Amino acid sequence: PKGQLGFMSPCVWLCLSSYEKLRSFLINQKAITSLVQLEYSGFDGATVPICTFTVENYYRPRLEGGYVRLSDFRGSENQGPRTVEAIKNPDCGWFYRAAAVEFQKIPGSPIAYWVSPTLRDAFQSCPAFSEYSDTRIGLITGDNDYYIRQWHEISIQKIGMNYTREEAAKSEKKWFPQSKGGDFRRWYGNHNTVLDWSNDGNELQTRMHDSGTRTLAHNFNLDRIFLEGITWTKISSGTFGARFQPKGFLFNDASANAFPRESKFQYPLLAFLCSKLPVEILKAMNPTLNFLPGNVAQLPIANRVLTSSLVLECSKTLVRTSKSDWDAYETSWDFTSLPLLQADYLQSTLKATYQKLRAHWREITLEMQRLEQENNRIFIDAYGLQDELTPEVPLSEITLTCNPHYRYGNDKSEDELEALLLADTMRELVSYAVGCMFGRYALDKPGLILANQGETIEDYLKRVPEPSFPADDDNVIPMLDGDWFTDDIAERFRKFLRVAFGDEHYEANLQFVEKALNIKGKRNYSIRDYFLGEFYTDHVKRYKKRPIYWLFSSPKGSFNALIYMHRYRPDTVSVVLNDYLREFRTKLTSHKNHLEAVSISASSSQGEKTKALKEIDKINKMIVELEDYEREVLYPLATEQVEIDLDDGVKANYPKFGAALKKIVGLEAKED
């Protein structure tokens, strides 16, 4: 009795739910007299969460043990000296006193000794989040590769948007939006994937696991699917981003969700989850920063802010702003047109247009920051935490894509951030232009035009009868080192620029685009250099390794041609072969004949002859490459008349073309 035991152990028992019985034993039967929590790098050669503590064999619930928190002091050489300093000077800032009865105020009784009495008392004085909202973990399909797609991979007409469960079951649609976690983003967004829920999810609900003892999928949440709610990414690196989830969504295990019991709580609860409070409270309950529904359900809610009109309007405005930002990019299914082409920003030159758009982005980012700080202030005041928390939100946490501080991180100068944002905005312009070339978009009509399997130029002309910038007739756009074809991609982009921004400042506009794209400062960099060197890499990245434009490319890249997969037909490879590859080889041969004439002409200078011979050698190598590509790859493929089904996704369809297409690194990787 009253003996002391000393331990060194992992820190896991301090907070994790699986050690709740151990904590209860120590708190309710013994007394923790001291504890030192080391920084993760507290030992040479090891990064492990370790603590050392002493326990008295006697129940003393009001004994205030001494606690030292070394998390701010990296390195083994700091652990001992900083501990001694804390013992000598309890006011140092990393020494705490706490009694067992205080730990019991927080659900699960975590040994959260650093939490202030005010925050602990909130758990006693405020109702739990679960009183206002049901929280759920999402669906585990058991086979994500089979059941989940990026929305842009498939025909848009097969996706059911904004449906109730009953409407979805009757709709005969196959795919429906789902929340699936994603990057840190607050208020709205991360709408990228769709789930096969055909026939009210009959296959998912009945397909058996290989063991035969249970269904492969589980956590169906049938009473909550397709309802409006709040979603967040379950696993985080330290920041918590809750988002509005519209009606019509299913939800995946990578996300967690809340469904307010009354619609009037939707925006106020979202405002609470997007404030500073949840992260601070969750650190005490679960420092692993896995934001599980059970943890969120236990958060204390200062209920008077849930009826605040200021909180309501603030939250609605922040959701609207975030949605507008999300939809301004073509990776959103609600994208309508490029901001650079909208009348609100259009100026006489592309440069001036961008500057006006950039000023707007700066303005909405700062307004978003102001509103988020106001939201924080309201909640901090409601909990009486003015002495512990400040309402400030750094620009890097204003989660708008148009905000470079968030998009590129805080480790760059203002000039670097501006250069990156300008370059990406021009990449988006080029990407939209290519979309117009293929008929996915049109300058004359907002939103998607051709986005269903097998659609043709005739379908395009029915929707856009007199296009100012017509779509390509045969769905093949050559991407070559030179103007060998009238529908060459670089030439078509130049035409797009003339139509979209006018002839008067065309040269200046083109130079502005080229200079912005030339982020590495290459000499004489042209739009063609971008298409040949970087465009496809950017496209694959933009569409998360599920590209909608596919690049036929010979082994050394002498021949390249893009197609749009939604317009693919079984004879498309034959068109690439006959109308482009063979035609290109014929043109190369003709050009070679001309060069040979120059090389032997008496009127040619020695310099001209040397240049001609060098070019002939290059062309000979290209012709050999093209002949091999045709014989070994493209011709056999053309005879196969390959069929694709967009429902199978890019991952299944792209490999059917083997070496004919540009290799995508990571395409084979298993879906999360």
Side-chain angles (χ1 to χ4, degrees):
K2 295 191 178 181
Q4 294 275 350
L5 293 173
F7 297 87
M8 178 173 279
S9 80
C11 289
V12 288
W13 68 273
L14 296 176
C15 296
L16 295 189
S17 58
S18 52
Y19 291 91
E20 191 172 341
K21 285 184 180 179
L22 171 60
R23 290 195 296 275
S24 178
F25 169 72
L26 293 175
I27 290 169
N28 295 313
Q29 297 183 44
K30 310 299 176 187
I32 300 172
T33 50
S34 69
L35 184 144
V36 180
Q37 188 169 352
L38 281 69
E39 194 267 334
Y40 272 27
S41 300
F43 290 97
D44 277 335
T47 301
V48 285
I50 290 288
C51 66
T52 178
F53 61 99
T54 57
V55 177
E56 184 175 324
N57 188 23
Y58 192 74
Y59 179 50
R60 299 172 66 187
R62 299 197 177 276
L63 171 71
E64 290 192 332
Y67 295 83
V68 178
R69 195 180 195 200
L70 299 170
S71 55
D72 291 338
F73 306 112
R74 187 169 177 80
S76 59
E77 69 281 1
N78 284 312
Q79 307 303 294
R82 293 294 187 176
T83 303
V84 172
E85 188 178 342
I87 294 167
K88 290 179 178 177
N89 176 21
D91 296 325
C92 62
W94 57 95
F95 181 86
Y96 303 84
R97 289 234 175 247
V101 291
E102 296 298 310
F103 298 142
Q104 291 173 319
K105 292 179 179 178
I106 302 176
S109 301
I111 311 300
Y113 54 85
W114 66 90
V115 174
S116 70
T118 306
L119 197 51
R120 286 196 200 108
D121 289 343
F123 284 96
Q124 305 291 302
S125 60
C126 299
F129 189 92
S130 58
E131 290 195 23
Y132 299 97
S133 181
D134 183 24
T135 58
R136 299 287 181 92
I137 198 67
L139 170 70
I140 297 174
T141 70
D143 190 353
N144 284 353
D145 278 335
Y146 182 80
Y147 289 109
I148 295 173
R149 298 284 177 270
Q150 295 286 324
W151 75 268
H152 55 260
E153 295 181 78
I154 56 181
S155 294
I156 196 71
Q157 66 187 7
K158 289 193 172 186
I159 304 176
M161 301 283 193
N162 302 313
Y163 286 7
T164 64
R165 185 184 174 193
E166 293 72 24
E167 290 167 343
K170 295 174 185 175
S171 69
E172 298 186 359
K173 302 283 187 182
K174 179 172 184 174
W175 305 95
F176 298 88
Q178 69 154 6
S179 55
K180 192 175 179 289
D183 298 334
F184 167 57
R185 187 178 174 98
R186 289 193 183 111
W187 304 106
Y188 189 92
N190 288 358
H191 299 164
N192 300 309
T193 59
V194 290
L195 177 76
D196 179 357
W197 192 257
S198 47
N199 300 316
D200 196 34
N202 179 64
E203 183 181 351
L204 258 172
Q205 294 183 61
T206 57
R207 180 180 167 189
M208 297 301 291
H209 186 270
D210 290 342
S211 66
T213 59
R214 61 174 179 83
T215 55
L216 182 65
H218 52 285
N219 293 356
F220 293 110
N221 294 294
L222 297 178
D223 60 330
R224 289 291 179 262
I225 56 175
F226 294 100
L227 298 181
E228 186 176 280
I230 299 167
T231 186
W232 63 89
T233 303
K234 191 174 71 176
I235 299 175
S236 168
S237 60
T239 42
F240 183 65
R243 297 174 292 279
F244 175 80
Q245 181 171 285
K247 183 185 85 172
F249 276 65
L250 298 122
F251 48 104
N252 180 277
D253 177 54
S255 66
N257 296 263
F259 298 94
R261 302 189 192 286
E262 296 182 54
S263 59
K264 67 181 180 181
F265 295 136
Q266 171 82 17
Y267 285 98
L269 287 176
L270 177 61
F272 167 70
L273 291 178
C274 286
S275 73
K276 281 191 171 183
L277 272 296
V279 171
E280 289 303 312
I281 301 170
L282 287 166
K283 281 178 185 175
M285 298 166 63
N286 181 3
T288 62
L289 296 178
N290 285 1
F291 298 124
L292 303 174
N295 295 139
V296 171
Q298 294 173 326
L299 292 172
I301 292 288
N303 50 9
R304 65 187 174 90
V305 294
L306 295 184
T307 56
S308 163
S309 59
L310 187 57
V311 168
L312 178 66
E313 290 310 310
C314 192
S315 183
K316 284 184 174 181
T317 302
L318 286 160
V319 169
R320 270 197 308 271
T321 304
S322 186
K323 183 180 189 307
S324 176
D325 173 75
W326 180 260
D327 293 340
Y329 300 87
E330 65 179 67
T331 45
S332 165
W333 53 61
D334 286 325
F335 171 81
T336 54
S337 66
L338 206 66
L340 278 170
L341 293 167
Q342 291 170 10
D344 289 349
Y345 314 111
L346 213 52
Q347 303 293 300
S348 59
T349 66
L350 180 54
K351 180 178 181 179
T353 299
Y354 175 75
Q355 287 171 340
K356 186 166 184 182
L357 177 61
R358 179 68 188 101
H360 168 69
W361 285 344
R362 195 174 286 111
E363 184 181 310
I364 62 171
T365 300
L366 292 174
E367 176 62 7
M368 189 106 168
Q369 184 183 41
R370 185 190 71 79
L371 289 172
E372 289 207 31
Q373 290 178 169
E374 176 66 10
N375 185 61
N376 279 334
R377 185 191 61 75
I378 294 169
F379 281 96
I380 289 169
D381 288 353
Y383 286 79
L385 294 169
Q386 298 92 330
D387 294 337
E388 299 176 44
L389 296 175
T390 62
E392 278 71 34
V393 182
L395 277 174
S396 60
E397 289 187 20
I398 304 302
T399 57
L400 299 174
T401 310
C402 69
N403 169 23
H405 295 271
Y406 159 69
R407 190 169 179 177
Y408 309 113
N410 247 5
D411 59 343
K412 298 173 179 67
S413 69
E414 285 291 331
D415 287 346
E416 287 174 315
L417 292 174
E418 291 302 327
L420 288 169
L421 186 63
L422 173 58
D424 273 339
T425 307
M426 293 305 110
R427 289 184 186 107
E428 286 144 15
L429 172 65
V430 173
S431 179
Y432 179 74
V434 173
C436 290
M437 293 177 203
F438 280 120
R440 184 172 176 84
Y441 306 110
L443 283 171
D444 317 279
K445 190 179 175 76
L448 292 167
I449 310 299
L450 301 184
N452 298 301
Q453 179 157 2
E455 288 190 315
T456 64
I457 195 67
E458 287 73 29
D459 295 310
Y460 174 83
L461 292 170
K462 284 176 188 172
R463 290 165 207 164
V464 192
E466 296 180 3
S468 56
F469 179 78
D472 188 76
D473 286 345
D474 60 12
N475 189 37
V476 181
I477 299 177
M479 203 158 75
L480 303 168
D481 190 4
D483 290 330
W484 297 94
F485 292 90
T486 54
D487 60 345
D488 167 76
I489 197 164
E491 183 55 35
R492 290 226 67 195
F493 178 76
R494 295 185 194 107
K495 288 178 182 173
F496 171 87
L497 212 55
R498 289 182 187 276
V499 173
F501 295 97
D503 276 324
E504 186 180 356
H505 299 287
Y506 162 72
E507 290 295 341
N509 290 342
L510 180 61
Q511 286 173 17
F512 180 70
V513 174
E514 291 174 339
K515 185 177 179 183
L517 291 172
N518 188 17
I519 204 101
K520 294 179 182 175
K522 297 176 183 175
R523 289 183 63 190
N524 303 317
Y525 188 85
S526 68
I527 191 65
R528 187 177 301 283
D529 292 318
Y530 172 71
F531 277 118
L532 291 175
E534 298 159 58
F535 169 77
Y536 201 62
T537 300
D538 287 344
H539 176 66
V540 170
K541 183 180 177 183
R542 176 174 290 108
Y543 284 91
K544 297 182 182 295
K545 297 184 180 179
R546 301 293 183 266
I548 54 174
Y549 310 134
W550 293 356
L551 184 61
F552 283 83
S553 183
S554 60
K556 294 180 181 177
S558 296
F559 174 81
N560 299 285
L562 274 181
I563 69 157
Y564 175 29
M565 73 176 192
H566 290 62
R567 287 179 61 188
Y568 173 85
R569 304 185 318 185
D571 68 344
T572 297
V573 182
S574 296
V575 175
V576 174
L577 173 62
N578 295 316
D579 297 354
Y580 292 91
L581 180 71
R582 288 173 173 169
E583 182 69 16
F584 180 42
R585 198 172 64 229
T586 300
K587 290 179 177 183
L588 280 174
T589 302
S590 175
H591 184 51
K592 187 181 83 165
N593 293 338
H594 165 70
L595 290 170
E596 286 173 340
V598 170
S599 71
I600 59 174
S601 170
S603 61
S604 300
S605 68
Q606 189 55 47
E608 289 170 335
K609 291 180 180 180
T610 302
K611 185 179 178 183
L613 288 169
K614 190 175 180 181
E615 188 72 10
I616 289 166
D617 183 56
K618 179 183 173 184
I619 290 174
N620 281 333
K621 290 175 181 175
M622 289 172 67
I623 290 172
V624 170
E625 180 191 347
L626 300 187
E627 287 173 343
D628 290 347
Y629 181 57
E630 175 183 339
R631 182 180 63 257
E632 296 171 12
V633 179
L634 215 52
Y635 177 74
L637 194 64
T639 61
E640 284 182 40
Q641 298 275 299
V642 176
E643 301 268 2
I644 68 170
D645 184 347
L646 294 191
D647 280 346
D648 295 336
V650 172
K651 188 173 178 178
N653 288 314
Y654 202 89
K656 291 180 180 180
F657 298 84
L661 296 177
K662 184 86 169 176
K663 182 177 174 61
I664 298 174
V665 177
L667 179 64
E668 305 83 8
K670 194 170 179 64
E671 289 283 350
D672 294 332

